[in-house]
Amino acid sequence: MPGYTNAVGEGEVTFDSVTVKGETKILGGGPNSIHFKDSVLVTVIVNKNNGSIRVVAEGATTVQEVLLESSAILEAASSAATIENVEIMEGVANSTGPVKLIGTFDTVNNRATSVEIQLPRESSVNELILSALSFIKGQGLINRLNVTSSGNDSTVESKPQSVVLDISGHVTVDGEKIEESYSNVVKATIQSIQATMSYTRVDLKEPKYDLTAQDFIITAESNGQTIPLTNLTYNATMQMFMYNPLPVSYKDIEITVRKNPASDALTEGVFSKKFYSTEGFSGRITDIFGKGLANMSLTFEDSYVRGVTDRNGYYFVEAQPGVHYGTISGPGFIKTTITGSVATGRFTTGINETAIRAAATDEMKIMLTWNDMESDMDSHLATENFHVYYGDKTYGDYSESGKYMEYVDLDWDDTQYFGPETTTIRKWQDGRYIFFLHNYSGDNAMSLSDSKVQIFQGNSETPTHTFNVPADTGDDRYWGVFELFVSENGRNMELKELNQMARHEEWLIRPYDSLLDGIQSLNDQLSTEQDASEVAKLQAVLTEANTISANKKATTSEFLAVLRKISKVIKYKDTQNSGPLYAFLPEYEDYSKPFEWKGFIRENQEHDLRDSDRVTLKARIGYWDEDWYDYTYLANQKIQWVVNSTGQTTEHTTKLPANYDDRYEAILFDGTYGELKSLYSQGFLLTTTTNQRPGNWYTVELALSSNESYNEWSIYQEYWEQ
């Protein structure tokens, strides 16, 4: 059963001769607080974000695993006390103060970015894994330093006995830049081998990381017949030979590894392993930092298809031809899916997957999975303050003390079918959160993707909520999954299922503002619409939209319902740009006719132009040039421009201006900025037909330039296929 120490407060307590088979959660205590004497603990979770805490193992205490969710002092105070594994979790980056390790530790894995880890001279770590940028202070003994890709540029003050770099960069060790793995072993000794259809692992008594394939002789045979090992490579970091899958046609296979007589890096020894050739598949299971995970279980729908990962995260399973759907599981990990495919008479390699760790106590993890009908589904989490997705994967802010705090991150972005893709909320802000999906690849209707969203609260490996994509999504590519309403810094939280489709992400992120824009669009169209039946439709939708906008208790579902109605009757689309103006124009649908626009020009709120500044409005027509892989602008293109406010029709021709050598354009307006706003705010009509056909894809661009500052802004650009 779990144990808790939150009742300790800032005091000190000793637990003598206790055994906890489940989790022990330390949520309170001060700098001299929690002592375990002659006790047996399986998993200890430390989470105290408002001050220092010290956890001491005394006597013959054994602790299998410590999960640090906040900074702390861990101490094995006697030679008989054992703390085996320490995981410094991502949220520790939000804590104040370093992590201090005193005593002897087997494995320490740091996943928290920019955290200082103090290792005094009397301390030792058998294996220190840096899965994030780390700063290791002190002269404690490190037997093996293992650095993954995210640990690039870390610094370590003491010099480890060996360094394993699974990165393309470097670490600084004892003041020296290290770019390659090393060990102090002069001659390595082979103890055993583990052979499979696609790889052979060499177990060395002590690792040596400068070995190459030329230091070994490796052979394969079946009943006295030699089997070629094609594309043979040796990975010194993982001590593994990789090769193309062996033919299934052989039955009994024997792999033999021996020292190459010409090598001085190995002691003498010959080791063999026999196995039966088989159909099946193999691959590697890693965490989000690329570190191979040992002892992960793989189970499949066919009960006989099972596998367990080795120390490098590799697995091997026997399986009959077909597609096999399974799950990956392990202590501290969320169950995720894996799919292996086997062809008749073949062994498949490269069935790799990423395992997802459970979140910390105060965190929430949101996991997305889908099927093979879409290559890329994207997770989005947004509030009024941030929008975390593939284009902006983290959000953080600075505390009052000046420390950067990470609030949310898209910690794993999967772009190649199935998922998983995970978003983790590490620190809460008050307000409305919206989680939604975007069918990024868009190959099929979203309903065919079998998208599933699961919420995992705290350390739980079991979801508290599961949401499945609606059965009928139409052609909408955004699925609003759920909303969270947070108050009192995360102490109060209300989750509401949304389960609504949307045409645009802004409808989900800012439904009220989107509705106000929709109301403006309805009013704009009503000002020019002549058809009585169309006017009646617009008026009816406008009345409903005004009612919803005035209702302070209106829900997101109600906003989305009326936004869908607006999108059906409105003929215009908003093309927001960063300049002073933007065009508000209709979707162009009939590509067989001349390119015709009816639209308005509106003003952005923040810009530096004055009404008295002279500006130029110009239009350009271009085509897609495959040779330059860009749009090329065309000369002598006729453009007809009708201004609603005056009824005046003018014709223009694209020409080469003096300040460009390749950008042909037509000047539609040349005057003051104030005149331009007044002239075109009541609408315009633009018609053009290209008289050249060098390509299929065309573009029409409206641009505004300032004669005062010489700045230019693209206020609208449309692409079409002719």
Side-chain angles (χ1 to χ4, degrees), residues 282-308:
S282 66
R284 192 182 188 208
I285 308 301
T286 60
D287 64 11
I288 64 173
F289 303 103
K291 179 182 179 297
L293 298 172
N295 300 317
M296 300 295 290
S297 296
L298 288 77
T299 56
F300 294 83
E301 293 175 352
D302 300 317
S303 59
Y304 75 93
V305 182
R306 293 179 177 274
V308 178

Side-chain angles (χ1 to χ4, degrees), residues 39-194:
S39 298
V40 178
L41 308 173
V42 176
T43 299
V44 175
I45 300 173
V46 180
N47 186 314
K48 183 173 183 282
N49 289 309
N50 59 344
S52 60
I53 187 171
R54 179 168 172 248
V55 180
V56 184
E58 300 175 345
T61 293
T62 60
V63 182
Q64 289 187 18
E65 180 182 47
V66 177
L67 304 181
L68 286 184
E69 298 179 355
S70 59
S71 58
I73 300 171
L74 292 184
E75 182 176 354
S78 69
S79 59
T82 303
I83 300 178
E84 295 181 10
N85 301 312
V86 178
E87 293 281 341
I88 304 173
M89 302 182 71
E90 293 90 336
V92 176
N94 290 339
S95 297
T96 58
V99 171
K100 189 171 185 179
L101 304 175
I102 303 172
T104 301
F105 302 85
D106 184 28
T107 303
V108 177
N109 183 5
N110 179 42
R111 311 201 307 263
T113 300
S114 300
V115 165
E116 177 182 320
I117 301 173
Q118 296 180 356
L119 200 62
R121 187 177 298 276
E122 66 272 17
S123 300
S124 66
V125 177
N126 182 43
E127 182 176 25
L128 176 60
I129 303 167
L130 304 184
S131 297
L133 176 64
S134 309
F135 305 100
I136 313 302
K137 301 292 183 71
Q139 294 300 314
L141 175 64
I142 303 171
N143 183 35
R144 181 184 184 190
L145 177 68
N146 191 329
V147 186
T148 69
S149 58
S150 299
N152 184 41
D153 215 23
S154 295
T155 60
V156 182
E157 288 188 348
S158 65
K159 186 172 183 177
Q161 298 296 308
S162 63
V163 173
V164 181
L165 298 184
D166 193 10
I167 58 176
S168 58
H170 72 276
V171 294
T172 301
V173 173
D174 192 23
E176 179 184 358
K177 183 183 291 187
I178 303 297
E179 296 177 322
E180 295 182 353
S181 301
Y182 73 78
S183 68
N184 293 332
V185 177
V186 177
K187 280 193 174 185
T189 300
I190 304 174
Q191 287 188 312
S192 63
I193 66 170
Q194 300 296 323

